[in-house]
Amino acid sequence: MSATPSWQAADGCVHTGPLLQSVNGFDVVACEACGFSHTLPLPTPQELEHIYSHEYYTQEKPLYIERYLEDKAWWDEVYAERYERLEAELPAGRRRLLDIGSGPGLFLAAGRERGWNVMGVEPSERASSYSREVLKLDVRSMFLNEETAPTLGQFDVVNLGEVLEHLPDPAGMLRLVHGLLAPGGMLVALVPNDFNPFQRVLNESMGVAPWWVAPPHHLNYFDTDTLPRLVQRCGFEVRHVETTFPIDLFLLMGHNYIGNDTLGRQAHAMRKTLEMNLRAGGETGRALKSRLHRAFAGLGLGREVLAFARKIDDSPSPA
């Protein structure tokens, strides 16, 4: 697309760039000012607070908690890998973790079982109540912002799992995280890998609608290049990048799960089986799985981008 829409934010910044998609009254542009793609216009913080406090888990993802629990055995393996990498990066005495957007709390529960001191922040009333009442976790029902961040303390790890794509100012969130981390602390950031090569083929050559473009819930669209660059700009050293399994591969094989929950669960079940069998395959299987996910990242493929980064100074440059 050749158009270049522009929009001026309240702070005076002009956001403009090549138009990638137009959906539901929003334009998605490859923003020259931000260095990553996002929607125009961006909603206000007040609009987002209403969506995520009351609507997200009841309207956008009504079965999210139930499905999360159905997949618990697989999630336990996924989270074990992330904790293993963190434990290799940090000394044994550094086990304080904050999970921002902690959802129902399984990541926190997995850390607690490994001896970590964990806390969560989750604006969804439904998800945070489950975490506190069922899993007995320390989860605060609030948004992380400049007012609430100083009340939480300091941490060795901050996890942002599928958070940055929802925010009007992801760089601002990373600056808050930088301040919450102790010297040398670790950031873990997971975002959807959007406009990736498989998706582009499906959309541009096969006429499949861009199902991954979902404003106003998804405002930002990252990939294997733009997420690490943003993290670096905000005062972190990127230590490791990989991607998750490219589930859109099933679409290219003719297994069209878009809008079909039954087919979607079947594709997800096959992905889970593959990964759990590799994890059960001893050192050889685990090493192969790790190499596959790094190789996916090298090709720009994978449904999500996962980055581990270390805080490197106390004065991140403006982003």
Side-chain angles (χ1 to χ4, degrees), residues 32 107 167 177 289:
E32 296 164 359
F107 182 69
L167 305 177
V177 168
K289 181 176 182 293

Side-chain angles (χ1 to χ4, degrees), residues 85-145:
R85 183 166 296 279
L86 290 169
E87 289 164 2
E89 290 277 356
L90 292 167
R94 300 193 60 178
R95 295 292 184 267
R96 297 166 299 171
L97 180 141
L98 174 67
D99 191 8
I100 300 172
S102 55
L106 293 190
F107 182 69
L108 292 172
R112 182 176 62 187
E113 290 177 7
R114 299 176 72 94
W116 286 68
N117 181 358
V118 299
M119 178 190 297
V121 171
E122 172 53 58
S124 164
E125 295 174 0
R126 183 182 176 213
S128 60
S129 294
Y130 181 88
S131 299
R132 288 191 302 272
E133 297 169 11
V134 178
L135 299 183
K136 309 303 180 184
L137 292 163
D138 180 4
V139 173
R140 317 292 172 87
S141 297
M142 66 184 192
F143 284 84
L144 186 72
N145 53 40

Side-chain angles (χ1 to χ4, degrees), residues 245-257 267 270-271:
F245 181 82
I247 194 78
D248 28 26
L249 181 65
F250 286 102
L251 299 173
L252 289 165
M253 294 189 291
H255 195 85
N256 189 357
Y257 57 76
M270 287 186 279
R271 173 257 186 99

Side-chain angles (χ1 to χ4, degrees), residues 6-23:
S6 65
W7 174 77
Q8 184 169 340
D11 62 4
C13 179
V14 176
H15 298 267
T16 186
L19 177 65
L20 301 178
Q21 290 287 343
S22 293
V23 176

Side-chain angles (χ1 to χ4, degrees), residues 21-39:
Q21 290 287 343
S22 293
V23 176
N24 297 331
F26 292 86
D27 292 330
V28 179
V29 302
C31 184
E32 296 164 359
C34 296
F36 56 87
S37 302
H38 63 76
T39 62

